[in-house]
Every structure is written in structure tokens, then in C-alpha cells.
């Protein structure tokens, strides 16, 4: 055989690679993925087998794009491949349903991602605007606090002990005042004091001068301190209940109380809590979650729990523009029949930071939860201090005299400051009646002293 000669009758044709047409040029649908049965092409659309060297196999590229398996697409006619230039089927260009579905899904997914980004941006803007509005409302208080450098430990005898409480919500520092000459085996009452915005433990102790009373009356005072990373203004986040940050801070304060009870001579049956402004709201929130742990609670210029759930709603609550939800005791406290601890509310009637309506709402919602009714108000004036109006809410007697559930003290001429506080401190008004003495007298009465 000469070189270049072939044994066959004719020289075989070179096979040429056939390029898969674009998906938009693929002809009518010829298979059904759901049913598995193939639909035959029309006779007019089926070309001769010899006209296409590819045979009756669909290229893998097309199978990958349309999502069909090799078994499903194995018998697709050549007309699908030749549906491009010069061989387009009479029905016109059509897209396989799977391609359409995927494109719709991609469009829907893009729209959803865009909506999510817009929603996150709007949430951040609303949070930032609420924080700015809250800072603006607290500006007079913060400016006064800015005038004082970080205060030194309060003067007086006794121990001023540091500590830190840790939990799932992070950690918080605290200070504990311990009166001098505590005897071995002696158990003392504990008063928890929660500071307001722009304050710390040292400043709050110096403003209220509670340590002097504790030294004389012999009780311990615990001062938890808010972290500025948790709130730039130093406020307790009592209002942030939607994301449960308020509950996390409440748990940290409870950890500080437990730590003080464990390491110091504390009588666990004689624990009371008081607070100013945001500290007052956090104190009330703590009592609503743990009513069995406290014998008394004092709110000074605060907002009752259940009035706000975010920064913006807290701003409206400060102006007295929001209603307060009814209080409900935890299931555990209800099961053992624990009553609400008595409440003392102290509020100035010229408070332009937190509306005096919040003090009235706090006393009323507390009385409603305990089934108490208000008695006649009386006016009290002591020396040259501001006069005050006292209203008591008493529950119907249960075999004895009526029990005092809540007491509202409205101080004439008092703004957003601790009544009777030190004049050298930003958050005190020396002209008001001594709130510190009222706090201890109220707590000691509940202790049975």
C-alpha cells in the first residue's frame, strides 16, 4: 500500500467540534425533568441523522447549564443543537424553565440582599439618631458632671472596697462601703445604690452622703458602676429590653449582690435597693425580676419599668409621653406567693429631664399590681427645705391594719437632682429634703427596725 492511500472506498471526513449554541437559541423543550418521560420532537423539526456529525448527544456544557442529567438529555435530537444559525425552530427562541427559575431566584436573592442592607442601614440611622436625641436631652446633666473630674473616694471612717462582678453580659465594677468595727458573726443590712447618668460610684456616694448614715446606723452600702463602653453617658440600659441587654445588666448587678453577700457579713433577709434617674429605673426592673430578694425599693427621679423598650421609646418616656404596662411578677415568685416589696418614689415637680408624670405612674402601677388604693395626700415642710407632698397607697387589710404598698413624695422646686444632696456635687440639691435619710428610714421600717 502506497503512502497516503486508504483501504476504504473513500477518505473519512475529519470530525469537527460543534460548539453549543447560546441558551437563548436552544429550541423547544424536549424533555421533562419532573415526570422523566421525554417528549418527541415534531417530524419537521427533526433533521436527518447524517446532517449533524455530533450524533444524538447533547454537549455537556448545555446539560450543565439547563440542569438536566446525562440520562435525561441523552436522546435529545440534533435539532436542539442546530437550533442556532439557519436552523432555528419555528416556535422561536425559548429558554428552558430551569434557566428562567434560576434567573428569577437570582433576581429575588439580589432584591432580598438589597432590602436587608437598606434595613440594617435604616436601623443604624434610627439608633444613632435616638442616641443623639437622648444625649441632647441629658446635656444639662452631663455638662454638670463634666465639670467634676473623676471623684475621689468619699471621706469618712470605714472601708471603701473595690470589686468586680462577671457574667454572661460582661463585667461591672462596684464599690462596697463597710462601716468600722464590724464584730465577728455580726450580720448587717445591705443597701444597693445605683447611680444616674454621668455619675460613678465615688461621685454618687459623695453626692448622697449615704456612707455617713451607714456608719451611724450600721449597714453596708453597695455601689455598682456602669461601664462607659456599655453606655457612653454612663446610664444603665434599663430600657433596652428588646435585645435583652437590660436583663444582662440586671443579672450582673445581682451577681455583685451575691458576691457581697458571700464575702461580707450581709444579712440576706435585709436587702433594699435605691437609685437615681436611670439607676432608679434599673432598680425597679431588678425588683420586678427578683421580688423575693428585696425588702424595699426606692426610685428617685426615675421611669417605671414597662414604659420603654428602646432608645427612642426611652426618650419619649422621659418626656412623659408613653404609657406604662402593668407589672407582672415572675412565675417562680408567683408560685411561692411572694408579695411586691414596698416602693418609695421621690420626684421633683420641676424636673425637666424626667417628667414628674413618671413618678406618679410608677407609684400607680405598683399599687395596681398589689391591689392598693391611694389615701389622702398631706403636705410636709421641714425648716428651710423645699416642701413636699406625700401620698400613700395602701392595700386592704388582711386580718390586721392596712399595709403600705407605695409612697409618692413630690418635692416642690426640685429639679433632676438628689434631694438634699451635697452642694459640691453636680447631681445634688442641698435645699431639698434629705432623700438619703428618707431612703434609710423607709428601708429600716421594712426590715422591722
Amino acid at each position: 500500500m502506497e503512502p497516503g492511500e486508504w483501504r476504504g472506498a473513500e477518505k473519512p471526513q475529519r470530525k469537527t467540534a460543534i460548539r453549543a449554541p447560546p441558551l437563548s437559541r436552544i429550541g423547544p423543550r424536549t424533555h421533562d425533568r419532573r415526570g422523566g418521560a421525554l417528549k418527541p420532537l415534531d417530524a419537521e423539526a427533526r433533521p436527518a441523522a447524517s446532517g449533524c456529525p455530533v450524533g444524538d448527544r447533547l454537549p455537556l456544557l448545555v446539560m450543565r447549564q439547563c440542569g438536566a442529567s446525562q440520562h435525561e438529555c441523552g436522546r435529545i435530537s440534533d435539532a436542539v443543537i442546530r437550533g442556532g444559525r439557519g436552523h432555528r425552530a419555528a416556535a422561536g427562541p425559548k429558554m428552558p424553565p430551569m434557566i428562567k427559575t434560576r434567573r428569577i431566584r437570582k433576581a429575588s436573592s439580589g432584591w432580598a440582599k438589597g432590602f436587608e442592607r437598606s434595613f440594617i442601614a435604616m436601623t443604624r440611622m434610627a439608633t444613632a439618631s435616638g442616641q443623639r436625641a437622648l444625649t441632647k436631652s441629658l446635656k444639662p446633666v452631663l455638662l454638670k458632671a463634666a465639670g467634676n473630674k473623676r471623684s475621689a473616694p468619699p471621706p469618712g471612717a470605714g472601708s471603701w472596697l473595690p470589686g468586680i462582678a462577671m457574667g454572661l453580659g460582661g463585667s461591672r465594677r462596684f464599690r462596697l462601703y463597710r462601716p468600722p468595727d464590724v464584730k465577728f458573726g455580726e450580720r448587717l443590712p445591705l443597701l444597693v445604690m445605683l447611680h444616674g447618668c454621668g455619675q460613678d460610684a465615688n461621685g454618687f456616694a459623695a453626692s448622697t452622703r449615704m456612707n455617713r448614715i451607714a456608719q451611724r446606723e450600721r449597714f453596708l452600702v453597695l455601689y455598682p458602676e456602669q461601664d462607659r463602653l456599655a453606655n457612653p453617658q454612663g446610664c444603665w440600659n434599663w430600657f433596652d429590653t428588646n435585645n435583652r441587654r437590660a436583663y444582662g445588666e440586671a443579672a450582673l448587678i445581682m451577681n455583685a449582690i451575691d458576691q457581697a453577700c458571700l464575702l461580707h457579713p450581709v444579712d440576706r433577709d435585709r436587702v433594699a435597693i435605691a437609685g437615681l434617674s436611670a439607676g432608679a429605673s434599673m432598680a425597679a426592673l431588678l425588683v420586678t425580676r427578683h421580688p423575693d430578694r428585696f425588702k424595699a425599693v426606692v426610685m428617685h427621679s426615675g421611669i417605671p419599668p414597662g414604659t420603654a423598650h428602646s432608645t427612642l421609646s426611652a426618650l419619649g418616656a422621659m418626656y412623659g409621653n408613653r404609657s406604662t404596662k402593668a407589672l407582672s411578677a415572675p412565675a417562680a415568685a408567683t408560685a411561692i406567693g411572694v408579695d411586691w416589696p414596698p416602693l418609695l418614689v421621690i420626684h421633683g415637680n420641676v424636673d425637666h429631664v424626667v417628667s414628674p408624670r413618671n413618678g406618679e405612674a410608677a407609684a400607680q402601677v405598683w399599687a395596681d399590681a398589689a391591689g392598693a388604693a391611694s389615701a389622702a395626700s398631706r403636705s410636709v415642710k421641714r425648716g428651710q427645705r423645699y416642701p413636699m407632698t406625700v401620698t400613700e397607697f395602701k392595700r386592704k387589710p388582711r386580718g390586721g391594719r392596712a399595709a403600705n404598698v407605695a409612697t409618692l413624695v413630690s418635692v416642690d422646686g426640685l429639679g433632676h437632682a438628689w434631694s438634699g444632696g451635697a452642694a459640691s456635687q453636680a447631681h445634688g440639691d442641698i435645699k431639698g429634703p434629705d432623700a438619703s435619710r428618707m431612703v434609710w428610714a423607709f428601708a429600716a421600717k421594712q426590715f422591722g427596725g
Side-chain angles (χ1 to χ4, degrees):
M1 181 182 299
E2 296 294 334
E5 293 183 357
W6 300 90
R7 292 181 179 180
E10 57 182 17
K11 184 178 180 179
Q13 299 294 330
R14 178 179 295 178
K15 295 183 179 181
T16 58
I18 303 299
R19 196 177 203 176
L23 293 177
S24 59
R25 299 180 183 274
I26 294 179
R29 179 179 178 181
T30 59
H31 63 285
D32 186 3
R33 294 190 63 185
R34 294 176 299 177
L38 301 177
K39 297 181 180 180
L41 292 173
D42 296 337
E44 298 179 357
R46 185 186 300 274
S50 60
C52 181
V54 198
D56 53 357
R57 289 285 177 181
L58 187 65
L60 183 60
L61 175 62
V62 179
M63 287 191 290
R64 287 178 179 175
Q65 290 180 345
C66 73
S69 65
Q70 185 174 0
H71 175 72
E72 292 173 338
C73 297
R75 289 163 41 200
I76 296 181
S77 173
D78 302 345
V80 180
I81 304 301
R82 299 176 61 191
R85 296 186 180 92
H87 298 283
R88 182 171 297 173
K94 290 186 178 180
M95 184 182 299
M98 288 300 298
I99 303 301
K100 292 183 180 180
T101 305
R102 291 190 175 185
R103 288 189 178 180
I104 293 174
R105 287 179 180 175
K106 287 183 178 180
S108 302
S109 178
W111 178 87
K113 290 181 179 179
F115 177 79
E116 182 180 1
R117 288 193 296 267
S118 301
F119 181 77
I120 293 175
M122 292 174 63
T123 303
R124 289 177 178 174
M125 290 176 61
T127 304
S129 62
Q131 193 68 36
R132 287 193 298 268
L134 185 61
T135 304
K136 184 177 180 180
S137 300
L138 295 173
K139 188 175 181 180
V141 178
L142 298 177
L143 287 177
K144 291 181 180 180
N148 298 335
K149 297 180 180 179
R150 187 171 181 86
S151 49
S159 303
W160 186 242
L161 306 173
I164 185 169
M166 303 184 68
L168 296 178
S171 63
R172 295 295 184 273
R173 295 177 297 179
F174 63 84
R175 290 281 183 171
L176 179 75
Y177 173 76
R178 177 171 173 163
D181 302 328
V182 178
K183 299 177 181 180
F184 179 78
E186 185 180 8
R187 293 293 173 180
L188 303 179
L190 175 66
L191 176 62
V192 184
M193 296 283 288
L194 300 180
H195 64 77
C197 299
Q199 290 182 312
D200 57 13
N202 292 339
F204 194 40
S207 176
T208 60
R209 295 176 289 190
M210 186 63 74
N211 293 356
R212 295 182 182 181
I213 302 177
Q215 179 184 353
R216 183 177 67 249
E217 302 294 338
R218 300 195 59 76
F219 61 91
L220 301 169
V221 189
L222 178 67
Y223 297 90
E225 189 173 288
Q226 174 66 302
D227 194 334
R228 292 303 176 101
L229 295 178
N231 189 292
Q233 289 78 34
C235 307
W236 296 101
N237 297 304
W238 61 272
F239 52 84
D240 210 350
T241 56
N242 274 358
N243 59 13
R244 305 188 66 83
R245 185 166 59 163
Y247 303 141
E249 291 186 359
L252 288 174
I253 298 174
M254 290 302 303
N255 290 345
I257 296 173
D258 292 337
Q259 185 172 335
C261 294
L262 180 64
L263 301 179
H264 300 278
V266 176
D267 185 355
R268 293 176 179 266
D269 294 330
R270 293 187 294 170
V271 179
I273 187 169
L276 171 66
S277 189
S281 302
M282 179 58 77
L285 179 64
L286 268 173
V287 173
T288 58
R289 295 181 64 81
H290 307 278
D292 57 319
R293 296 292 303 273
F294 302 96
K295 292 296 183 180
V297 55
V298 181
M299 296 179 62
H300 195 314
S301 306
I303 302 172
T307 309
H309 55 82
S310 63
T311 304
L312 289 177
S313 59
L315 182 63
M318 290 172 60
Y319 294 139
N321 297 330
R322 291 184 60 86
S323 59
T324 302
K325 296 181 180 179
L327 299 180
S328 57
T334 304
I336 60 178
V338 175
D339 292 332
W340 290 105
L343 168 70
L344 171 63
V345 179
I346 304 173
H347 214 116
N349 64 352
V350 292
D351 191 339
H352 301 298
V353 178
V354 177
S355 172
R357 290 195 292 269
N358 288 291
E360 300 171 3
Q364 188 62 55
V365 72
W366 213 267
D368 293 342
S374 62
S377 302
R378 66 181 189 274
S379 298
V380 179
K381 181 175 175 60
R382 295 172 180 171
Q384 299 300 319
R385 296 180 182 268
Y386 297 143
M388 56 183 176
T389 303
V390 181
T391 306
E392 294 181 343
F393 296 79
K394 296 185 177 182
R395 186 173 50 196
K396 295 180 180 180
R398 296 179 179 177
R401 62 178 184 176
N404 189 9
V405 173
T407 303
L408 172 62
V409 178
S410 178
V411 182
D412 296 339
L414 178 66
H416 193 70
W418 186 268
S419 181
S424 59
Q425 298 297 319
H427 303 281
D429 190 344
I430 192 64
K431 297 181 180 180
D434 195 343
S436 298
R437 294 182 61 183
M438 287 192 289
V439 168
W440 172 247
F442 182 77
K445 184 179 179 179
Q446 314 310 319
F447 294 157

